[in-house]
Amino acid sequence: MSETVTMEGPVCPVPIRKRGRVIMGHGSGGKLSQDLIGDLFLPPFDNPVLRAGNDAGVVPIEDDRPLAISTDSHVVWPLFFPGGDIGRLAVCGTVNDVAMMGARPQYLTAGFILEEGLELGLLEQVVDSMRLSAAEAGVHIIAGDTKVVERGKADGLYINTAGVGQVWDGAEIGGDRARPGDVVILSGSIGDHGIAVLEARGELGFQSDVTSDVAPLNHLVEAMLATSKKIHVLRDPTRGGVASSLNEIAAQSQVGILLNESTIPIRPAVQAACEMLGFDPLYIANEGKLLAIVAEEDATAVLETMRQTRYGEESVVIGRVEAEPKARVLMKTAIGTTRIVDMLAGEMLPRIC
Ligand code: MG
């Protein structure tokens, strides 16, 4: 890539126009999160890379492939849940955001905010989980920071990770690249992570065997990119779920996305939990799934490749990109009607990641 990105700073001090206070919905990954970013964070920091609104920022570096850089903070409660813990989440979340730009994650940093009184044995377990997840992903944690706050000022432990990696040769991926005719592929069942965390909190009210899907997806992405140069968009549907991620993409690309409800995989236990709690699984967080939007001619080959990988065995086509209605996600339901699938409006499950 030879073009340069011009970073123009803000022309005048940005007035604080926002009144009121932070509410839980500002962390939902849905509409309120988008508003907070768009109104309060984007204007003062505005530049083309940030404005692109992707999972990681991609910047050119001289005479070499572009770099993808991402950062993510993890405040999940409780710290351990079926299938994972805050450490695995902190590594995989950032690895996946870098991978979603068609990049190979290589190095991470980790910042820990510890609450006075946290058991060192517990911290050691979390760190060991990070070590295992990093080894699985093939990344190195090369810098870190530790801060301690007084008892009662944090919930045990928060972790921020940042990650960097170079974009694979020939990969041109971004939320604005979906085109009419493209095929929408999902790498497996939805809602597992959110329901597993609720179970760990004892909020399900019944026994379930759902485990979190938290996993590093970079090897899956690498296999996909080796199969096709026509992968247009990759995104991990974390907070806000599949519905919010697809709405972001539909808006970035100014296209419509039509889903087919009967093809979207949902485990029976997740479906049952959602029905009892009144949740729509389309809005529940996933931590080991990706959405891929691929040119029609390569979709079958990409799907076959995905199904041969550990975290893509259950990959399916769930929909298609259309020219209209722009910036909208529609879904053909199991009973044959069509409904609008909107962004997550408020907050459904706080502190899920
Ligand atoms: Mg993401």
Side-chain angles (χ1 to χ4, degrees), residues 191-230:
D192 300 8
H193 176 72
I195 297 300
V197 173
L198 278 192
E199 177 169 20
R201 287 182 192 160
E203 286 177 14
L204 278 189
F206 56 92
Q207 283 286 316
S208 112
D209 56 356
V210 179
T211 57
S212 169
D213 57 352
V214 56
L217 299 175
N218 54 320
H219 300 309
L220 167 61
V221 169
E222 193 177 332
M224 293 167 71
L225 291 169
T227 301
S228 170
K229 299 289 180 222
K230 293 177 182 170

Side-chain angles (χ1 to χ4, degrees), residues 151-353:
R151 200 179 288 267
K153 300 254 166 113
D155 230 338
L157 164 64
Y158 306 138
I159 307 174
N160 173 276
T161 48
V164 63
Q166 275 189 292
V167 174
W168 287 103
D169 235 346
E172 289 188 61
I173 289 169
D176 61 346
R177 301 183 71 91
R179 294 293 174 265
D182 286 356
V183 171
V184 182
I185 300 173
L186 172 66
S187 66
S189 62
I190 61 169
D192 300 8
H193 176 72
I195 297 300
V197 173
L198 278 192
E199 177 169 20
R201 287 182 192 160
E203 286 177 14
L204 278 189
F206 56 92
Q207 283 286 316
S208 112
D209 56 356
V210 179
T211 57
S212 169
D213 57 352
V214 56
L217 299 175
N218 54 320
H219 300 309
L220 167 61
V221 169
E222 193 177 332
M224 293 167 71
L225 291 169
T227 301
S228 170
K229 299 289 180 222
K230 293 177 182 170
I231 296 167
H232 294 158
V233 186
L234 292 172
R235 190 150 297 181
D236 54 340
T238 53
R239 280 174 310 167
V242 165
S244 299
S245 288
L246 289 177
N247 268 282
E248 287 169 14
I249 296 164
Q252 282 176 277
S253 295
Q254 286 297 300
V255 293
I257 294 176
L258 179 62
L259 300 177
N260 190 346
E261 184 175 30
S262 60
T263 60
I264 299 174
I266 305 171
R267 297 195 195 291
V270 169
Q271 185 72 52
C274 285
E275 280 168 15
M276 287 192 66
L277 299 166
F279 292 148
D280 182 340
L282 280 173
Y283 294 90
I284 296 191
N286 311 278
E287 293 290 345
K289 297 291 153 39
L290 64 79
L291 290 159
I293 297 186
V294 183
E296 187 178 18
E297 60 268 32
D298 280 12
T300 306
V302 170
L303 189 63
E304 284 308 312
T305 296
M306 292 174 74
R307 285 178 174 163
Q308 285 162 26
T309 67
R310 179 172 176 195
Y311 296 122
E313 283 172 356
E314 297 174 24
S315 297
V316 282
V317 170
I318 61 162
R320 188 170 284 276
V321 178
E322 304 198 328
E324 300 287 341
K326 294 196 196 316
R328 277 276 183 211
V329 179
L330 301 177
M331 184 164 76
K332 208 171 269 171
T333 66
I335 54 167
T337 56
T338 301
R339 74 167 171 97
I340 292 173
V341 177
D342 218 334
M343 291 221 45
L344 179 61
E347 172 62 296
M348 209 162 62
L349 302 170
R351 293 189 57 186
I352 214 78
C353 57

Side-chain angles (χ1 to χ4, degrees), residues 55 93 96-97 100 235-238:
D55 278 337
N96 292 346
D97 277 342
M100 294 307 129
R235 190 150 297 181
D236 54 340
T238 53

